[in-house]
């Protein structure tokens, strides 16, 4: 498998993931801030 194939597969998989679940703090965060820091353990879903 070449790098281009990996990139295509990665993009396809990332685009297939649904974004229907929104965390309860989502609406309380000012997304226009220059920096946002959310503390927590690894793997608990802090990504936006």
């Amino acid at each position: 498998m070449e790098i281009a194939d990996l990139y295509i597969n990665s993009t396809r998989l990332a685009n297939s993931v649904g974004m229907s679940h929104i965390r309860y703090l989502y609406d309380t965060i000012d997304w226009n801030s220059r920096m946002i820091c959310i503390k927590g353990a690894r793997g608990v879903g802090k990504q936006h």
Side-chain angles (χ1 to χ4, degrees):
M1 202 173 244
E2 294 184 22
I3 295 295
D5 295 331
L6 290 173
Y7 178 76
I8 291 168
N9 286 338
S10 173
T11 302
R12 180 181 52 80
L13 289 171
N15 289 334
S16 71
V17 174
M19 295 296 289
S20 63
H21 180 74
I22 295 177
R23 303 282 178 182
Y24 69 98
L25 288 176
Y26 185 86
D27 292 328
T28 63
I29 296 172
D30 180 8
W31 295 104
N32 293 317
S33 296
R34 290 183 64 174
M35 183 168 71
I36 299 168
C37 180
I38 301 173
K39 289 176 35 174
R42 290 178 60 192
V44 296
K46 297 180 296 290
Q47 71 275 6
H48 165 56

